[in-house]
Amino acid sequence: MLTAQSGDERGWREVGQTFGREFPMSTTHETRQLDEVRNARYGEIILISPGERGELRAEVYNTMGLNDCPPEKWSALDAGSVAREAEVPAAWLNGPRFWLMDRITVSRVGDIHSFQGLEARRVAALEIPAGLDLNSRGSERFYKDVVIDRDTEWLFAAGKPVYQLRDPDGRTYVMQAYSHIVDDTLDLDALAGLADRLHLPDGWTYREDTPAHDLSLRTVTGEAHVVQDELENTYMLVTQ
């Protein structure tokens, strides 16, 4: 779900060893619901700090419900400047992206911050897996399950297409959002044929489905499991 952009030439693996403070965040339990969000454009600003156990911790800010991630403001963002202004080691600019569900209900949200004139709200946190090189475009970076700390429900309306990855263990991940990070021509019409473009690992499959009933994806105990393909589209695990 993340694109690494940083002015730190020493590389992401050294960030946790170089900086020693975390950017303070506050979270509320106010519930927010957004309707008719299918194909809505958004962006994420992600602030990175070292965690308590030597890992890297990411705090995710999302423009949803505040603006449509205007191209002129998004393209003007500078990750290095954002990190310096927030007093954190590094920042990622993750977007633009486009939602594929029809309704989002968020039960835990945080403060709104303005990042160089672009407003975004804190919505999630995650731990970056040890040894994951976010600068890499190699296959080792993608199709990896990442746990995100959030309390959210995504609803996909009946009769509308959903796009799924299935892993070798039979677990299904539903696409939450498609991305313009790698291919800025990707659109809704192209998703049905995406299997022909993806270099799926052995045992993985991609398919389109049209549910007869509303499909609701909820986080379990405040955690979402997410994977990303090499076009940086994101998918969430379907749990029972």
Side-chain angles (χ1 to χ4, degrees):
M1 89 174 272
L2 305 173
T3 299
Q5 301 183 39
S6 172
D8 188 344
E9 297 179 355
R10 290 164 294 184
W12 288 93
R13 291 178 177 173
E14 299 180 17
V15 170
Q17 301 170 2
T18 306
F19 297 87
R21 68 182 297 269
E22 292 191 24
F23 185 61
M25 302 292 169
S26 61
T27 303
T28 71
H29 289 272
E30 177 184 2
T31 297
R32 293 178 175 270
Q33 181 173 298
L34 300 174
D35 296 300
E36 299 181 359
V37 296
R38 185 175 288 249
N39 211 36
R41 175 184 165 114
Y42 72 97
E44 290 180 334
I45 296 94
I46 302 171
L47 305 180
I48 307 304
S49 293
E52 297 178 353
R53 302 182 304 277
E55 80 286 1
L56 297 182
R57 180 173 174 81
E59 301 285 346
V60 182
Y61 283 75
N62 195 301
T63 63
M64 65 181 183
L66 298 171
N67 56 71
D68 62 355
C69 187
E72 65 279 3
K73 288 190 176 182
W74 183 259
S75 61
L77 286 177
D78 176 75
S81 296
V82 167
R84 287 190 293 274
E85 290 171 8
E87 298 183 48
V88 295
W92 299 346
L93 304 180
N94 181 36
R97 295 185 172 277
F98 300 82
W99 293 119
L100 287 176
M101 69 288 296
D102 297 279
R103 187 177 72 202
I104 303 172
T105 304
V106 183
S107 299
R108 271 188 299 159
V109 296
D111 295 337
I112 296 172
H113 285 267
S114 177
F115 297 93
Q116 299 177 352
L118 180 67
E119 286 194 331
R121 184 190 302 275
R122 185 193 183 278
V123 295
L126 69 147
E127 181 178 310
I128 300 173
L132 180 63
D133 184 357
L134 295 171
N135 286 318
S136 171
R137 294 299 309 170
S139 60
E140 71 280 357
R141 184 182 152 194
F142 305 109
Y143 304 99
K144 306 296 184 184
D145 189 293
V146 175
V147 178
I148 300 178
D149 175 21
R150 70 192 322 164
D151 193 354
T152 308
E153 178 187 10
W154 292 267
L155 186 136
F156 297 79
K160 296 183 179 181
V162 297
Y163 305 95
Q164 302 175 342
L165 285 175
R166 179 163 291 191
D167 73 7
D169 296 321
R171 298 185 301 175
T172 298
Y173 295 82
V174 172
M175 191 187 293
Q176 296 173 295
Y178 69 91
S179 167
H180 274 187
I181 297 170
V182 176
D183 180 2
D184 62 8
T185 69
L186 194 63
D187 59 19
L188 282 176
D189 293 337
L191 298 180
L194 207 56
D196 295 333
R197 295 190 57 188
L198 298 177
H199 300 287
L200 296 170
D202 290 343
W204 287 74
T205 58
Y206 175 93
R207 72 186 186 102
E208 177 185 353
D209 187 28
T210 304
H213 305 283
D214 288 351
L215 172 64
S216 175
L217 300 186
R218 298 173 182 265
T219 51
V220 177
T221 62
E223 293 183 346
H225 289 255
V226 174
V227 300
Q228 186 180 78
D229 65 31
E230 64 267 34
L231 297 179
E232 304 200 25
N233 307 313
T234 56
Y235 307 73
M236 179 178 167
L237 178 66
V238 178
T239 58
Q240 301 300 325

